[in-house]
Amino acid sequence: MRANSLPGGRVRLSFEPVEPDPALAEMSVEEAQAVLTVFHAAVLSERPEIRIIPPSRLRLLDEVDGKGWERHLRERFLSRFGGALLSLPETWEHSRLYQALKLSPRYMGAGVREAAAELFSSPVFLASVCLSVVVYFGAWLNPEPLFSKAFAVTLTAALALTVGMLEVANLALACLRLYRESEAARTQKELDAASEHFGKSVGGTMLRVMVMVASMGVAKTAPTVPHGGLGALLGSPMHAVEGGLAVGAAATATVVADGSLILSGVALGEVATHVCGGMALCATMNGGAGGSGSSAGLSTRYGPPHTRANPPHNEAIEKDLASREATEHSRLRKNKAQVDAKDSPLLDPKPVGGTRFRRPDASSVRPDGVRHNTNYVSNLRDLKRELEAFEAMRRADPKAIHELYLLDGTLVRRYVPAGVKFP
């Protein structure tokens, strides 16, 4: 990739063709389930009155007033990306675009079909993809799409650096074709044809880009550039700006017909300082939310470093234990085997893979005598394993509180015993 300075404080990013990563051609059901777990947790963190059915197949339920979560999603997308160029229906469930997207996985390739079906089985995720089409990809109707909202500018730069402009442009065109054909459909056969055209054009990389845009519609902050993107799901960026790239609040982005990206209000050689928000899909490849892998300055007040290769994980544990100590928790334990009130090891009655006991990242006893165990997830690839560990800890000690968090503080899962008050 070449980065050339232009008059007026602008920068042109030109992307050289690169060989596609064969690992991105497919997407597993496990990856899709990890996305949905974190995605729903991000929605819940802002709207706790919305309920989700646990544990394996998460589904968002309507609020008492009906479809309140749809209004919430719409507000989030519009506030981040700006106004929509395409029409927004009152509700997505009965829109032709929604129905066509829901049907599309059946026409996708074998390497992504099951993962897409898992993702699109979630009404809230599918509604977020619809919003992505009309709010973000709708801007690609222009010959040279222009983005002026800082969040959309940063996202476009992150997508370009992660997969290149060609892949993003192809997905945008596929989304716009789906929108036009589904809106024009008057029969089920015509709607199926629109779904088939879209499904056959979507591969693993495109599906991941769709996940990123839909996810960032509900995330708390914009993705970090250049190490942003799908993080653990997508891998290292295909392109990079030497020294990094910082996007300012007054930035704009223009996608030029020749496949390059012109940015204003950016600074080359500076890494953006903001960290990924609620979806935690960024900066996880190095083991944490922006972690560098250095072992310098590791806190050891509550025990040896959890791992020297992942300072953010260690610091999250130390901060957690410090807050517990401040609220008079006792028996503070860091990365030690799960025990009962008599310090006897607690064993999983149904061990997975031969693992009979677990080591909670942080463990303590509340002033009321209730044990409280917490684990943290650094890398989204490890989410399935961490969920298994969570269930094992719960089985071993059903009288304790158990929690699982992402490093940015997003709650993934919580178990509170019957009769125990929390917090």
Side-chain angles (χ1 to χ4, degrees):
M1 188 199 71
R2 299 189 308 274
N4 301 320
S5 297
L6 300 176
R10 298 177 299 159
V11 174
R12 180 192 292 269
L13 304 181
S14 301
F15 303 89
E16 301 290 342
V18 296
E19 289 293 327
D21 186 348
L24 302 182
E26 298 182 354
M27 185 175 182
S28 68
V29 173
E30 289 74 19
E31 285 180 299
Q33 290 172 341
V35 167
L36 289 182
T37 298
V38 180
F39 188 94
H40 287 153
V43 176
L44 283 175
S45 67
E46 293 187 352
R47 300 299 294 272
E49 74 276 16
I50 299 176
R51 297 180 295 129
I52 288 180
I53 303 176
S56 58
R57 297 187 65 82
L58 303 180
R59 294 292 180 269
L60 197 69
L61 300 181
D62 291 352
E63 295 176 62
V64 175
D65 62 346
K67 298 298 180 182
W69 58 267
E70 282 201 9
R71 293 193 297 273
H72 168 66
L73 288 181
R74 185 176 309 206
E75 292 167 0
R76 303 303 287 178
F77 270 83
L78 292 176
S79 67
R80 283 164 169 75
F81 293 107
L85 294 180
L86 303 176
S87 61
L88 282 165
E90 289 297 321
T91 181
W92 283 113
E93 186 176 0
H94 301 295
S95 74
R96 287 186 286 272
L97 174 62
Y98 183 99
Q99 295 299 325
L101 275 169
K102 192 172 183 178
L103 293 171
S104 64
R106 67 177 67 176
Y107 301 109
M108 295 182 186
V112 296
R113 184 185 305 125
E114 291 79 8
E118 183 72 18
L119 290 169
F120 289 1
S121 67
S122 165
V124 66
F125 185 83
L126 194 55
S128 296
V129 174
C130 290
L131 283 164
S132 301
V133 172
V134 300
V135 175
Y136 178 70
F137 290 117
W140 294 72
L141 283 168
N142 298 318
E144 293 189 345
L146 172 66
F147 303 94
S148 58
K149 191 84 170 180
F151 194 93
V153 173
T154 308
L155 175 63
T156 304
L159 289 171
L161 293 170
T162 304
V163 299
M165 289 311 308
L166 180 61
E167 194 77 25
V168 182
N170 286 339
L171 176 59
L173 293 175
C175 288
L176 291 174
R177 179 183 181 182
L178 176 67
Y179 178 84
R180 292 192 186 98
E181 291 184 349
S182 62
E183 287 298 299
R186 293 296 178 266
T187 65
Q188 186 62 46
K189 183 177 180 180
E190 291 173 339
L191 196 64
D192 287 339
S195 297
E196 182 177 4
H197 293 155
F198 180 75
K200 288 183 175 179
S201 68
V202 174
T205 300
M206 280 192 179
L207 184 58
R208 286 167 162 80
V209 174
M210 290 176 67
V211 168
M212 179 179 176
V213 180
S215 299
M216 288 305 146
V218 298
K220 296 176 183 176
T221 60
T224 302
V225 179
H227 299 294
L230 287 180
L233 289 180
L234 193 51
S236 300
M238 296 174 64
H239 307 277
V241 176
E242 185 177 356
L245 177 71
V247 179
T252 62
T254 304
V255 183
V256 186
D258 63 5
S260 60
L261 179 67
I262 296 179
L263 300 170
S264 67
V266 301
L268 297 176
E270 298 182 14
V271 177
T273 56
H274 51 257
V275 180
C276 286
M279 295 315 298
L281 292 177
C282 315
T284 56
M285 290 304 294
N286 292 324
S292 64
S294 170
S295 62
L298 286 173
S299 300
T300 57
R301 179 179 178 184
Y302 298 98
H306 179 270
T307 171
R308 293 189 177 276
N310 189 353
H313 197 133
N314 181 77
E315 300 311 303
I317 300 170
E318 290 275 332
K319 184 178 179 181
D320 186 347
L321 289 170
S323 66
R324 298 187 191 201
E325 186 175 29
T327 54
E328 301 182 348
H329 282 225
S330 61
R331 298 171 63 191
L332 303 170
R333 297 163 59 87
K334 176 182 177 183
N335 192 33
K336 293 184 179 180
Q338 191 177 356
V339 296
D340 63 14
K342 297 180 180 180
D343 286 336
S344 299
L346 286 167
L347 304 180
D348 182 3
K350 298 179 181 179
V352 177
T355 303
R356 300 191 64 198
F357 69 91
R358 303 288 174 167
R359 297 177 181 269
D361 286 338
S363 180
S364 64
V365 177
R366 302 196 315 181
D368 62 0
V370 177
R371 290 180 294 282
H372 186 175
N373 299 316
T374 301
N375 274 346
Y376 290 91
V377 184
S378 294
N379 194 319
L380 207 57
R381 284 183 181 145
D382 299 329
L383 186 55
K384 181 181 179 182
R385 184 189 69 197
E386 294 292 345
L387 288 170
E388 289 177 351
F390 175 92
E391 292 302 324
M393 288 164 54
R394 182 188 61 79
R395 287 193 299 268
D397 192 1
K399 294 182 179 181
I401 296 169
H402 302 284
E403 294 183 296
L404 180 63
Y405 286 94
L406 302 179
L407 285 188
D408 69 353
T410 299
L411 177 66
V412 176
R413 188 162 296 182
R414 174 184 289 143
Y415 167 81
V416 180
V420 173
K421 292 184 178 180
F422 189 91

